[in-house]
Structure formats: structure tokens, C-alpha cells
Amino acid sequence: MFAYILKRLLLLIPTLLGILALTFAIIQFVPGGPVEQMVQQLTQGTQATAEVSGGGSLRGNQHGLSPEEMDKLKALYGFDQPPLTRFVDMVGNFLRFDLGESFFQPKTVTELVIEKLPVSMSLGLWTFFLTYLVCIPLGISKAVRDGSRFDAISSVFILIGYAIPGFVLGVLLLILFGGGSFWQWFPLGGMVSDDWDSFSTFQKIMDYLWHMVLPITASVVGNFAVMTLLTKNVFLEEIRRQYVYTARAKGLSERRIMFKHVFRNAMIPLITGFPAAFLGAFFTGSLLIETLFSLDGLGLLSYEAVMKRDYPVVMGTLYVFTLMGLLAKLLSDLSYVLVDPRIHFDGER
């Protein structure tokens, strides 16, 4: 296993570099970069001022900028160097976990990610836990009662939830329960109330849960179908295996067959996806849900960075998310061996 882990870690390096290089190359051809945006502001007669190195500043007018001023402006954003040099410098900084500073906010990329992380973690972790806690028992019940009225009715509901986009469900929830046209049971947005600091510990917890009911509901309902049907199909496949008929012939109870034999084998494909899903929950960002419920999370941060051409934020967050995704995939593969000793990476078993 050690050789396999080492090989995967070595393969992770070119994969990560390839993703960064492809994104960096695409960025070079995207119009409306930070230099163009600043030139437009400076030449439109606004009060915009670009601070340059050496203590000076640029204040434009409607007659445009001189070549010397353009050179200073490019140096301000680091575009005075060739693309290859900038890419090598960026990768070197990333290896030291220096993600750079935002072009448009007086903060580092690391500070921005840490600042937005609690919102995305709230959505991601609640969605993750509720999906597993609801879908696995529901999927087992549907497998045991395959073809029954319960199976048919529950399938209709979860497929309807899957068919409705999360942001559409969010709008519907706001109309019904957010004071839109019917009841004002929950707040329209935000993660906590404005006077949250003055609450007691219990009040803070309840206020947080009160604010998160609608966005979590909009996020989690669409995830029920895939996990529930996957659980049902896996358990159905195990229930129909020969060892189950043999156990029944020996007189074992259905409860013992289900929980001692079927459950252990059927949970293997579900558990193996657990590490990646859990790790991904920390960095889940949903732009539409965050925008709809006024939640300032990673999804909104990434969208604004792309629209504003805030390249350090785009590349820094891409580096972090890609690295986490590749490590999560490795953990998922390793979990196969931990839960199923029949699997071996060298192919001998």
C-alpha cells in the first residue's frame, strides 16, 4: 500500500500543475483584466487612483495614459513579467502556501478563504450529514419493501425533489416561509441575526439553526435521490445473492441476515465515498444558494473573483480546491482496502 500511496502522490503533482497551467493559460486570453479595468477607470474622468511601487500614484484623465504610466500600471499588477516567469513564481509561492494578495481587496487570498469558509462549511457539513442520515435508512427501507406502496410513493417524492433545482426550491421556500406572500417563519437571509453577539450561548445556537433551515433545505433536497437510490440498489443486489438464501435456509432471522451479513457488504460502496464527501463538505460553495439567502461564502467569492478578474483569488482558490479534491480521491481509493480486505492494489487478490 505504501508504494501505491507514493505513486498516487507523485501523480498528484503533474495533475495539479496541469490544471493550474491550463487555467493560467486561459486567463491570458480573457479580456477585461485588472490593467484594462484600471485604465478604463483612470481615463473616464473618475477619481480612481492607482498606487504604484515607490510611493507614487497614477491619476488618469480622459486623454489616456502615457506609455510610462502604462508600464507602471502593469508592474503594479505583476504583468510586466513574461507569462512563464509569472507562472513559475506563482507555483513557487503556492508550494510555500503563499496564495498571494487580492487585486481589489486589501486582504490575502488565505484571509479571504478563511473569512468565507464558515458559511460554506455550514452548508456543506449540514448537507453531508443530513444526506447520509436520511438517505441510508430510507434506501434500506425501500430495498426491504421493494415494489410496495411505500417504495413507490417515496420514489415519487425524492424524484420530484431531484427534478427541482435548488435555487428554485429556495425561492419557493422564501415565498412560503420567508415572509414573501404567506408566512414569515424564517429570516430572509444571513447566517445569524444582527444582534447575535448579545445573545446567550443557547440563543446563539438557536438563532444560527433558525437562519440555516431554509438554505440547508434548498441545498439538501436535491441530493436525496442519488444517495437513496444508490443505497436501495446496492442493498437489493446483496439481498438477492446466494448467501442470503443459504442463511434463510439455515433458519436465521431476517433481522440478523440484514444487519450482520447484508449490511456489512452493502455498505462498502457507500462508505468508500464517505472521505471524499466529508472533505468536500468543508469547501462546498453554492453560488445561487448563497446569493439567494445573502450568505457570503466561497461560491460567491469565486464568482466575484472571476467577474472582476481577480486572478490571485481565482488561482489561489483553484489551487486549494484542486489539491483537496485530489487528496479526497486518494482517501476514497484507500478506504476500499480498509473496508474490504479482498481488494488489493497490486492485483494479487
Side-chain angles (χ1 to χ4, degrees), residues 3-17:
Y4 175 81
I5 295 175
L6 180 61
K7 185 172 77 170
R8 286 292 300 270
L9 290 176
L10 292 177
L11 288 174
L12 183 147
I13 297 174
T15 303
L16 184 60
L17 289 177

Side-chain angles (χ1 to χ4, degrees), residues 143-144 146 231-241:
V144 173
D146 182 41
T231 304
K232 175 190 173 181
N233 293 334
V234 170
F235 271 83
L236 272 179
E237 183 180 356
E238 291 296 324
I239 290 173
R240 294 168 180 172
R241 289 188 181 274

Side-chain angles (χ1 to χ4, degrees), residues 19 41 44 58 70 83 85 90 109 112 119 124 128 142 202 223 237 244 248 252 269 290 320 344-345:
I19 294 173
Q41 293 181 27
Q44 283 180 344
L58 296 176
M70 284 295 300
T85 302
M90 181 191 71
V109 178
L112 288 173
V119 174
F128 168 79
K142 287 173 64 63
F202 177 76
N223 297 334
E237 183 180 356
V244 176
R248 286 172 179 165
L252 296 180
E290 291 177 8
V320 173
H344 201 266
F345 288 124

Side-chain angles (χ1 to χ4, degrees), residues 219-236:
S219 299
V220 76
V221 168
N223 297 334
F224 283 163
V226 175
M227 181 61 67
T228 300
L229 296 180
L230 174 62
T231 304
K232 175 190 173 181
N233 293 334
V234 170
F235 271 83
L236 272 179

Side-chain angles (χ1 to χ4, degrees), residues 178-330:
S181 301
F182 295 90
W183 305 280
Q184 191 171 2
W185 292 354
F186 300 98
L188 288 174
M191 198 162 67
V192 293
S193 300
D194 294 334
D195 53 348
W196 189 76
D197 293 333
S198 62
F199 293 165
S200 64
T201 302
F202 177 76
Q203 290 175 328
K204 288 181 178 180
I205 295 175
M206 297 305 298
D207 182 73
Y208 163 75
L209 295 176
W210 181 50
H211 279 75
M212 296 305 295
V213 168
L214 296 186
I216 290 173
T217 302
S219 299
V220 76
V221 168
N223 297 334
F224 283 163
V226 175
M227 181 61 67
T228 300
L229 296 180
L230 174 62
T231 304
K232 175 190 173 181
N233 293 334
V234 170
F235 271 83
L236 272 179
E237 183 180 356
E238 291 296 324
I239 290 173
R240 294 168 180 172
R241 289 188 181 274
Q242 185 60 44
Y243 73 87
V244 176
Y245 295 112
T246 303
R248 286 172 179 165
K250 290 182 178 180
L252 296 180
S253 64
E254 289 293 327
R255 183 181 181 87
R256 184 170 183 178
I257 294 173
M258 178 61 65
F259 289 99
K260 187 174 181 179
H261 301 284
V262 174
F263 187 84
R264 179 179 179 181
N265 294 328
M267 286 299 293
I268 290 176
L270 301 177
I271 294 177
T272 51
F274 190 92
F278 181 76
L279 189 59
F282 287 89
F283 298 96
T284 298
S286 177
L287 169 63
L288 295 175
I289 297 297
E290 291 177 8
T291 304
L292 184 62
F293 292 97
S294 302
L295 300 173
D296 192 7
L298 293 175
L300 191 58
L301 173 66
S302 301
Y303 173 75
E304 291 179 345
V306 172
M307 297 305 295
K308 293 180 179 179
R309 308 296 192 265
D310 198 346
Y311 296 146
V313 177
V314 173
M315 299 302 299
T317 54
L318 176 68
Y319 171 74
V320 173
F321 298 161
T322 304
L323 181 61
M324 293 297 102
L326 293 173
L327 292 176
K329 181 60 177 176
L330 176 59

